[in-house]
């Protein structure tokens, strides 16, 4: 019989100084422990021990020259965590906070997220501690080329297929793919999130944000509510927040905040015009990592050095980075009457925040369910690349919507509580885990 505390203590001992990885493992174990203890083939095949140990963690040196001609050295990683369901799949993060432990947590979450999509994808994640702030376009290109020069040895369309994440958008994917083609002379689906001009899928840029809103619509339907007129707080201002703002606005909600490391924007009228929403892309492209210019451009309020969770809203959607919403933020949101929380960032809520929302009966969709739309459309991009054709936007969007509806229904099925409420965290963990565990049992060791 497994017991969460002793199992997690052992994981913590073997992974020193990797608190986010231990946090993610703890949450999954708490949800699946009963299933594991009830299923002899899981214990017999040591599924818990094996699923918490990556297949491999690759670390490499990235050397590149800055605009002054000085040599720069960064560290690159790829965590290939589990390929029971398909090739390793997951994004690349370029951010100064990137560490091996952080990427292990993200790759671990990715296993279950990818499983929930129902598509044949294993879990992986990679990236570098590269800081793009203040870097020129040419420096970003040289760094991306150098990164791919090392990473390419470990990739392949049926082996490992990275995509974007924080700090890696369409521009970086272009440079990475260009270097792949230069080195390998292969035009294959080895990265997703490519431009539609050279093999990318329509709707991929919007997919994570759109998917989170489709998931939110299902959660509200479940409660007999609709999105129409709901006030939404978003954090972040990157690709995910952009897609979420587009779709939420289209469906009649009012997005009132975005945020950056410098503080948050409160636009009570709503970030609701094409001009305002597209402005997020300008902010991102400036490489300055600040949202304050939005306030000057559109006459909204800028609140320096604070998080948007103090604004009174119906729905909160963290879209920035892990652990960006903590216990006291959760209390402030609850006090202001928040009805639903959707993690569009990976593990956007701390364990304390998750507990606080649960105790208050506020439904919380975990990232591995709610933000699966991005990787789901990546899976569809892989299919289109394999078939060497391109589906129309409506077809991709319809498939995305149907995948998000299925994930929601799966979470409800596995997360229904005796009182009738839904524990989305538990539902997502159990459903995501079981598909991978069953595959691992079938495949032997
Ligand atoms: N980085 C995204 C995620 O966290 C997308 C990964 C992908 O498309 O492979 O799921």
């Amino acid at each position: 019989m497994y017991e969460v505390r002793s199992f997690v203590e052992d994981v913590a001992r073997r992974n020193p100084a990797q608190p986010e990885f231990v946090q993610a493992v703890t949450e999954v174990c708490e949800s699946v422990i009963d299933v594991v203890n009830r299923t002899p083939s899981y214990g017999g095949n040591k599924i818990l021990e094996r699923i918490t140990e990556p297949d491999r963690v690759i670390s490499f040196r990235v050397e590149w020259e800055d605009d002054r001609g000085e040599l720069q050295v960064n560290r690159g990683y790829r965590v290939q965590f589990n390929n029971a369901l398909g090739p390793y799949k997951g994004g690349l993060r370029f951010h100064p906070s990137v560490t091996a432990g952080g990427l292990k947590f993200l790759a671990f979450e990715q296993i279950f997220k990818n499983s929930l999509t129902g598509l044949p994808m294993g879990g992986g994640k990679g990236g570098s501690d590269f800081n793009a702030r203040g870097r020129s376009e040419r420096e970003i290109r040289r760094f991306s080329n150098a990164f791919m020069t090392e990473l390419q040895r470990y990739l392949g369309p049926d082996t490992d297929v990275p995509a974007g994440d924080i700090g890696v958008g369409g521009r970086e994917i272009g440079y990475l793919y260009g270097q792949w083609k230069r080195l390998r002379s292969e035009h294959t689906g080895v990265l997703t999130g490519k431009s539609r001009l050279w093999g990318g899928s329509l709707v991929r840029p919007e997919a994570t944000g759109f998917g989170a809103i489709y998931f939110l619509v299902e959660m509200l339907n479940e409660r007999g509510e609709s999105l129409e007129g709901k006030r939404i707080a978003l954090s972040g201002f990157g690709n995910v927040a952009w897609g979420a703002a587009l779709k939420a606005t289209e469906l009649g909600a009012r997005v009132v905040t975005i945020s950056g490391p410098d503080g948050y924007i409160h636009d009570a009228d709503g970030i609701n015009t094409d001009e305002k929403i597209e402005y997020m892309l300008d902010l991102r492209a400036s490489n300055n990592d600040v949202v304050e210019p939005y306030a000057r451009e559109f006459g909204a309020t800028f609140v320096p050095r604070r998080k948007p969770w103090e604004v009174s809203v119906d729905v909160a959607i963290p879209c920035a980075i892990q652990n960006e919403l903590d216990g006291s933020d959760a209390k402030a949101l609850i006090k202001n009457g928040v009805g639903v929380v959707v993690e569009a960032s990976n593990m956007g809520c701390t364990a304390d925040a998750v507990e606080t929302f649960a105790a208050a009966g506020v439904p919380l969709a975990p990232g591995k369910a709610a933000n699966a739309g991005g990787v789901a459309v990546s899976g569809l991009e892989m299919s289109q690349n394999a078939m060497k054709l391109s589906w129309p936007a409506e077809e991709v969007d319809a498939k995305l919507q149907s995948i998000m509806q299925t994930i929601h229904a799966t979470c409800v099925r596995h997360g229904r509580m005796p009182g009738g409420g839904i524990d989305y965290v538990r539902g997502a963990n159990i459903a995501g885990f079981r598909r991978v565990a069953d595959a691992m049992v079938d495949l032997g060791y």
Side-chain angles (χ1 to χ4, degrees), residues 186-334:
E186 285 171 17
H187 204 119
T188 48
V190 77
L191 291 172
T192 60
K194 302 189 290 302
S195 158
R196 53 185 291 193
L197 297 176
W198 32 272
S201 176
L202 290 168
V203 191
R204 177 63 189 88
E206 299 89 339
T208 310
F210 277 24
I213 299 299
Y214 292 149
F215 196 94
L216 168 63
V217 167
E218 295 302 306
M219 291 175 86
L220 292 168
N221 282 348
E222 183 71 30
R223 295 155 60 86
E225 295 175 34
S226 94
L227 191 58
E228 185 76 41
K230 292 271 189 296
R231 286 161 310 149
I232 302 183
L234 301 181
S235 60
F237 65 101
N239 172 262
V240 179
W242 167 76
L246 263 182
K247 184 52 78 178
T249 304
E250 184 194 315
L251 297 181
R254 186 158 23 124
V255 172
V256 293
T257 68
I258 52 171
S259 71
D262 54 332
Y264 75 89
I265 296 289
H266 184 196
D267 187 343
D269 295 339
I271 301 170
N272 53 6
T273 60
D274 288 351
E275 210 191 341
K276 286 179 174 181
I277 296 173
E278 296 306 308
Y279 191 71
M280 287 193 221
L281 304 179
D282 297 348
L283 287 174
R284 173 65 49 202
S286 76
N287 293 345
N288 289 329
D289 216 9
V290 289
V291 288
E292 201 252 328
Y294 179 104
R296 270 181 275 125
E297 186 75 19
F298 299 107
T301 309
F302 172 64
V303 184
R305 290 179 299 281
R306 295 191 68 86
K307 297 192 268 180
W309 316 126
E310 59 193 22
V311 175
S312 169
V313 287
D314 306 301
V315 178
I317 313 185
C319 299
I321 201 160
Q322 64 270 15
N323 291 330
E324 55 173 309
L325 194 162
D326 63 21
S328 60
D329 298 324
K331 285 195 191 104
L333 281 164
I334 292 164

Side-chain angles (χ1 to χ4, degrees), residues 58-112:
I58 301 155
S59 162
F60 48 89
R61 190 174 68 243
V62 186
E63 304 175 342
W64 58 285
E65 204 173 279
D66 70 15
D67 283 347
R68 292 173 313 173
E70 197 178 316
L71 193 61
Q72 297 286 336
V73 180
N74 283 95
R75 191 175 291 169
Y77 298 98
R78 186 70 180 163
V79 179
Q80 298 183 330
F81 216 118
N82 186 298
N83 66 353
L85 296 180
Y88 303 106
K89 182 82 197 89
L92 298 171
R93 179 173 290 191
F94 292 171
H95 194 267
S97 69
V98 162
T99 59
L103 292 176
K104 268 170 70 182
F105 124 67
L106 288 161
F108 180 73
E109 290 284 287
Q110 199 84 40
I111 305 170
F112 308 106

Side-chain angles (χ1 to χ4, degrees), residues 89-91 110 113 125 163-165 192 204 346 374-375 378:
K89 182 82 197 89
Q110 199 84 40
K113 181 195 313 197
K125 200 89 182 190
D165 195 79
T192 60
R204 177 63 189 88
N346 292 306
V375 76
S378 278

